[in-house]
Amino acid sequence: MGYCRLSPSSEPKSKLRQRFKVDRPISPPEKKDKITITIHLTPFNRAALVLSIITIQIVVHLYLSTLYFSAGDGFLPLIPVSVSTSCKEGLVYVYDLPKSFNTDLLRGRDALDNRFMIEETYSNDGFGPHVSSDFVSIIPSRFLSAWYATDQFAAEQIFHRRMLNHPCRTSDPTIATAFYVPFYVGLAVDRHLWNLAATHEQRDQDCFQLLRWLQDQPPFRRSNGWDHFLTISRITWNFRRQPGESWGSSFLVMPGMQNVTRLIIERSPWDSMDVAIPYPTSFHPHSAMQLQDWQNFVLEQDRRTLFGFAGAARPKIRGDFRSLINRSCEEAGSACRSVDCSDIKCLHGSAGTLELFLDSDFCLQPKGDSPTRRSVFDCMIAGAVPVFFWRETTRGQHSWFFPKEGGEDEWSVFIDRKKVRRGIVNIRKFLEGIGEEKLRKMRERVVDMIPRLVYAAGARGLGEGMEDAFDIALKGIFARFKEQKKRWR
């Protein structure tokens, strides 16, 4: 992708006017004598006429209600039975689940931190509230509308809204290629995730009920779930409780889930039904033009810091690598900056982390509670080159969105953490040795990837043929199901 300044049309105004030029003036219509026609209706005929008009209006309204449905951005048409050329990859059918499986779960307070209301956290169709005034001094005002305080676990709401508004959504399950199950399982399981006293039955109750409902549906019975998929907003390990364990739910190992594809923010490398999708960031561009403008903006940043780190140390963990990174940053002096994410400083994408990544050439990405972390995507959309210390952070994860494995050195850096621990490798010296030309190419590659890593604010995506993370995920689902269908035959 090339990047250029977006500017108004340079075509002369005279030429623009010529498009609408009229050869000769249009004369006003000649005045004609008025003709008045009076129709006399009996009271009975008048009543019949009014009743006919009302009947026509009701019929039209009922017809339109079958073609249109309510969505966050208004009313959008469902695709007719005849397949349009733009939907040649397939059609998606969205189940109308009981509200107890999705929107009802948005009520109440956050189970981990009751300072937050769930409904507010996932407002604006999952994007959350607009960012605070702190961002005004960091980014130009033209980008503020695209920035939200988005929770990293908002994928379920974001995908649901886009599915409802997708131009290839069909109301006819008999012609659907894929079936979407809008179950907010992350929120369902989160209610009991942090409650150590919760029983297995409480942790699995919503999941069992969902599968019981789903297994009664004719499309699911017909395919045994092979053409069904859902979004999971938490890492896969929260849904793989084994016998004898107490953490999380057993949803993904339940018998009804073995054939269902899961779009999940971190997948299990040993389960082919898991497909990793990007963590939601706080950047949700409204159009392809706004996104391209952002790409130009981050490319032209005057970055004064060699590397940065946003995160919280884990002092209770023996040999905590994050503490080692903080020490390396302190030793690097002005070449490194860090943002301490203790408590809630970095929650939902803070102004401090964005400022850090816009100012840094590289961003250090040790693993989080699991191999992946949202900060990887926060740093990349700001144009910083990620530095990994665990191979599993990228390999076997977001393969639909990152370049093919084996080419990681084109857009990222890997440093063996064991060599850092032993003092064999100094992070600052290693990164300084990369060189300006190599760094420039890596940054351009990162910026080129940004559209694939973000979820557009527009109900139907970025437009102008540009695909965001949602578009790529759904395209991958269609291709996956078509391949599976060949095996059935």
Side-chain angles (χ1 to χ4, degrees), residues 261-288:
T261 297
R262 316 99 189 210
L263 300 175
I264 192 165
I265 58 175
E266 179 178 312
R267 67 179 295 270
S268 165
W270 303 282
D271 191 340
S272 61
M273 304 311 292
D274 280 3
V275 175
I277 57 173
Y279 281 72
T281 67
S282 292
F283 180 50
H284 306 285
H286 291 264
S287 66

Side-chain angles (χ1 to χ4, degrees), residues 17 110 114 119 153 160 174 216 268 286 308 337 342 420 436 450 482:
R17 292 195 198 101
D110 187 280
N114 63 13
E119 191 171 10
F153 302 129
H160 189 190
T174 65
D216 284 338
S268 165
H286 291 264
R337 288 177 54 204
S342 301
V420 176
E436 285 296 323
I450 291 178
K482 285 185 177 180

Side-chain angles (χ1 to χ4, degrees), residues 335-346:
C336 179
R337 288 177 54 204
S338 65
V339 172
D340 183 5
C341 293
S342 301
D343 196 23
I344 63 171
K345 294 184 181 68
C346 303

Side-chain angles (χ1 to χ4, degrees), residues 10 14 18 50 68 81 125 149 159 182 239 264 321 338 342 439 446 458:
S10 58
S14 58
Q18 286 174 5
V50 171
Y68 290 72
V81 174
D125 298 306
F159 268 77
F239 307 91
I264 192 165
F321 190 72
S338 65
S342 301
L439 172 60
V446 167

Side-chain angles (χ1 to χ4, degrees), residues 30-317:
E30 298 179 2
K31 294 183 179 181
K32 297 183 178 180
D33 295 334
K34 293 183 179 180
I35 300 175
T36 303
I37 300 176
T38 303
I39 300 176
H40 297 281
L41 297 175
T42 65
F44 176 80
N45 289 337
R46 290 177 183 173
L49 179 61
V50 171
L51 182 61
S52 299
I53 294 173
I54 293 175
T55 302
I56 292 172
Q57 291 176 333
I58 292 174
V59 170
V60 170
H61 174 77
L62 291 175
Y63 173 71
L64 290 177
S65 67
T66 64
L67 294 178
Y68 290 72
F69 59 91
S70 179
D73 284 348
F75 293 89
L76 296 174
L78 288 172
I79 190 169
V81 174
S82 59
V83 182
S84 69
T85 55
S86 62
C87 296
K88 58 184 178 181
E89 292 172 338
L91 300 173
V92 61
Y93 179 84
V94 181
Y95 280 108
D96 184 16
L97 297 182
K99 293 183 179 180
S100 59
F101 293 126
N102 43 50
T103 54
D104 282 355
L105 294 170
L106 294 170
R107 300 172 181 171
R109 292 185 177 273
D110 187 280
L112 180 61
D113 192 333
N114 63 13
R115 285 175 291 181
F116 300 101
M117 296 297 295
I118 298 176
E119 191 171 10
E120 181 180 357
T121 299
Y122 300 106
S123 59
N124 290 317
D125 298 306
F127 296 147
H130 278 282
V131 294
S132 66
S133 58
D134 296 342
F135 283 72
V136 174
S137 61
I138 300 172
I139 58 177
S141 59
R142 66 183 185 275
F143 295 126
L144 290 176
S145 65
W147 283 86
Y148 298 77
T150 304
D151 187 79
Q152 64 176 333
F153 302 129
E156 291 161 357
Q157 293 76 35
I158 292 173
F159 268 77
H160 189 190
R161 176 245 194 170
R162 285 287 295 277
M163 289 294 178
L164 289 177
N165 288 282
H166 200 272
C168 296
R169 177 193 171 198
T170 179
S171 59
D172 184 355
T174 65
I175 63 171
T177 309
F179 295 82
Y180 184 66
V181 184
F183 177 33
Y184 296 175
V185 61
L187 286 177
V189 171
D190 184 59
R191 292 189 297 176
H192 307 290
L193 193 61
W194 309 100
N195 181 7
L196 299 180
T199 65
H200 289 181
E201 289 74 20
Q202 288 175 317
R203 297 178 185 275
D204 291 336
Q205 179 180 4
D206 294 304
C207 301
F208 272 129
Q209 291 178 351
L210 181 278
L211 285 175
R212 188 180 300 118
W213 184 93
L214 191 60
Q215 289 168 334
D216 284 338
Q217 307 307 309
F220 190 90
R221 293 201 305 268
R222 184 178 63 248
S223 68
N224 199 23
W226 279 105
D227 51 4
H228 285 57
F229 70 110
L230 77 166
T231 309
I232 300 181
S233 63
R234 287 185 170 272
I235 62 175
T236 190
W237 315 110
N238 289 337
F239 307 91
R240 295 182 176 276
R241 192 189 69 244
Q242 300 294 327
E245 297 177 347
S246 59
W247 176 261
S249 165
S250 62
F251 181 53
L252 295 185
V253 296
M254 291 180 182
M257 283 298 296
Q258 70 268 27
N259 297 329
V260 178
T261 297
R262 316 99 189 210
L263 300 175
I264 192 165
I265 58 175
E266 179 178 312
R267 67 179 295 270
S268 165
W270 303 282
D271 191 340
S272 61
M273 304 311 292
D274 280 3
V275 175
I277 57 173
Y279 281 72
T281 67
S282 292
F283 180 50
H284 306 285
H286 291 264
S287 66
M289 180 177 291
Q290 188 176 47
L291 183 99
Q292 290 168 336
D293 192 12
W294 175 260
Q295 288 175 297
N296 285 322
F297 170 70
V298 297
L299 269 180
E300 296 170 357
Q301 279 296 295
D302 179 19
R303 299 174 187 267
R304 297 162 296 178
T305 305
L306 179 63
F307 63 103
F309 171 61
R314 309 287 176 84
K316 294 183 179 180
I317 298 178

